[in-house]
Amino acid sequence: MGARQSAPASRSNPTTAIDKVLADAVARGDVPGVVAMVTDRHGIVYQGAFGMADVASGKPMTVDTMFRIASMTKPVTSLAVMQLVEQGRLSLDDPGEKYLPQLANLKVFETFDATTGAYTVRPAKRAPTVRQLLTHTAGFGYNFTSPIVRDFKPRAGELYAAGPLLFEPGEQWLYSTGIDWGGRIVETLSGKTLETYFHDHIFIPLGMTETAYNPPDDRRPRLTIVHRRRPDGTFEADPVQPAWNVPQPVGGGGLASTASDYIRFLQMLLNQGTLNGKRIVSAETVATMSRNHIGSVGVRAVKTAMPERSSDFTFVEDGRDKWGIGFMITANGKPGRRSAGSLSWGGLNNTYFWIDPARGIGGVILMQFLPFADSKALAVYDGFERAVYANSR
């Protein structure tokens, strides 16, 4: 089973039930290792670490193991944008091109031939807004969420600073690089790099001292390896490990963190923008971030374009879930699980979190292997969440 570290929760025996879910998953070989934490509005009520941070060396997971949290960076970037909105520096309905000239005069794919790569484009009818950049409705994609993005090669002499877009802004939802551009807006308006802005305005006030794009070298021994599932179900190190240093941070990913650091971010949101007497954003801003910002458009299940990097997005209620500023919003409550209106998302290497404002609890579960949305990783996530709610009645 590897390492096991746990701390008692606030009720009589929830630790035992949650421990069993996580320990059994490691024992079955479903995941190489896992760290999980649960918080309420007052503090951590569960923490546990099981299995291996590196299967080759046998290095155990511990509660302070560091993870590359990938797209769990996106809510942090979204919060930074909202801090600037609070200050009157920008509006969510401003066109992105107001701050970034790369977003001016965008083109939209009209046709794309999957066999030959031939394509035609036309001018976009409208410029994507800051809101659309933050909600994956601007028309961008990822190479693992769109075969067009994966295969597109500009013709000789054609340059695209951004795009071409896959659809007109606001007309669809597709998981995308939009928040990368949101991060560039933060840098443009603040005059700081994302690393410095996050450090000064989010991490230090929250006490998130372990979270950074470029952690100090003395933390390297605590970093887990990104694994990949072999065809026989066992795990090996992925041949391409994330770089320790991130010289040009982007808003959509790249942070390294620990479960205890990220849980502080969730605690702040559960407490409507404050933690330990430090106000990060207003309660009104937290409420704004928690509302549907995509209207009648739905968060759809996504068919992967790169199975080695991501499985299909089967954990969303296709077309029913919504998107706020930084989070997916659960449309319908789940029996024995999170409430309607809960906020959540994850990161490429199977790291996940959720925030349930109605119940006043949130959880973080960190694994570190590919592909994203792996069925066994999602089963561990589901089992963990169910065990949390079974013991929080």
Side-chain angles (χ1 to χ4, degrees):
M1 182 175 69
R4 173 192 176 279
Q5 296 189 356
S6 62
S10 58
R11 295 182 179 269
S12 57
N13 65 347
T15 299
T16 302
I18 301 171
D19 279 358
K20 179 173 171 53
V21 168
L22 303 178
D24 286 355
V26 171
R28 289 191 304 268
D30 291 349
V31 298
V34 58
V35 177
M37 289 191 181
V38 183
T39 189
D40 60 17
R41 290 190 170 94
H42 306 291
I44 294 170
V45 297
Y46 172 84
Q47 59 181 358
F50 300 85
M52 298 297 170
D54 182 349
V55 296
S57 70
K59 181 171 75 173
M61 285 287 193
T62 59
V63 291
D64 65 349
T65 291
M66 296 197 69
F67 294 78
R68 287 296 187 187
I69 60 170
S71 287
M72 283 169 60
T73 303
K74 288 179 169 68
V76 179
T77 304
S78 299
L79 185 82
V81 173
M82 292 305 297
Q83 288 180 326
L84 298 174
V85 170
E86 276 193 355
Q87 296 165 23
R89 307 282 297 279
L90 79 159
S91 164
L92 290 176
D93 292 317
D94 287 341
E97 66 185 24
K98 180 176 179 179
Y99 308 102
L100 300 173
Q102 304 97 309
L103 298 178
N105 303 313
L106 293 179
K107 300 294 192 295
V108 180
F109 282 109
E110 200 162 42
T111 63
F112 187 87
D113 189 302
T115 302
T116 66
Y119 63 89
T120 59
V121 295
R122 56 174 169 77
K125 296 176 183 176
R126 61 189 73 89
T129 64
V130 174
R131 190 191 312 272
Q132 290 163 346
L133 293 171
L134 298 181
T135 57
H136 306 290
T137 57
F140 295 107
Y142 272 116
N143 57 4
F144 64 93
T145 63
S146 166
I148 295 177
V149 174
R150 179 194 65 197
D151 297 337
F152 171 62
K153 294 181 176 58
R155 289 183 285 259
E158 290 188 1
L159 296 175
Y160 295 93
L165 302 179
L166 298 167
F167 50 85
E168 290 288 348
E171 291 188 355
Q172 298 181 41
W173 181 94
L174 180 65
Y175 194 53
S176 73
T177 58
I179 297 179
D180 289 355
W181 296 106
R184 292 286 171 254
I185 291 172
V186 171
E187 291 183 323
T188 298
L189 290 179
S190 70
K192 299 180 178 182
T193 66
L194 281 183
E195 180 96 77
T196 301
Y197 185 93
F198 289 172
H199 176 273
D200 293 350
H201 297 279
I202 299 174
F203 298 154
I204 291 303
L206 287 177
M208 294 174 64
T209 57
E210 299 267 58
T211 307
Y213 287 100
N214 294 285
D217 285 342
D218 61 6
R219 297 180 196 167
R220 190 187 291 260
R222 289 195 281 123
L223 184 70
T224 184
I225 296 295
V226 177
H227 295 90
R228 178 173 293 282
R229 192 187 297 280
R230 296 187 182 104
D232 66 359
T234 60
F235 292 93
E236 62 185 354
D238 189 70
V240 181
Q241 293 292 314
W244 178 251
N245 294 309
V246 183
Q248 292 186 310
V250 297
L255 284 174
S257 189
T258 61
S260 59
D261 250 31
Y262 207 83
I263 211 88
R264 297 179 73 82
F265 188 75
L266 305 192
Q267 288 169 349
M268 175 270 296
L269 293 165
L270 283 170
N271 285 291
Q272 299 183 306
T274 65
L275 185 67
N276 296 332
K278 300 285 182 67
R279 180 160 289 285
I280 307 303
V281 289
S282 69
E284 181 182 355
T285 289
V286 174
T288 296
M289 295 177 72
S290 305
R291 289 197 290 265
N292 170 24
H293 283 263
I294 61 175
S296 61
V297 172
V299 173
R300 69 189 201 220
V302 176
K303 181 75 174 174
T304 182
M306 298 180 69
E308 69 279 10
R309 286 178 60 80
S310 175
S311 299
D312 296 343
F313 288 27
T314 55
F315 56 91
V316 304
E317 283 198 56
D318 190 10
R320 297 182 180 87
D321 291 329
K322 297 297 182 179
W323 202 269
I325 302 297
F327 315 98
M328 185 174 76
I329 303 172
T330 298
N332 301 313
K334 315 286 185 181
R337 295 177 61 198
R338 69 191 66 174
S339 310
S342 292
L343 314 174
S344 65
W345 199 240
L348 185 69
N349 302 313
N350 285 298
T351 61
Y352 301 93
F353 73 90
W354 84 94
I355 307 163
D356 187 338
R359 298 287 293 274
I361 58 175
V364 173
I365 182 166
L366 305 177
M367 298 163 276
Q368 201 79 168
F369 69 95
L370 295 169
F372 175 63
D374 173 85
S375 60
K376 291 185 177 179
L378 293 177
V380 177
Y381 182 14
D382 178 82
F384 168 59
E385 184 180 340
R386 290 179 184 278
V388 168
Y389 281 90
N391 289 281
S392 62
R393 296 192 181 99

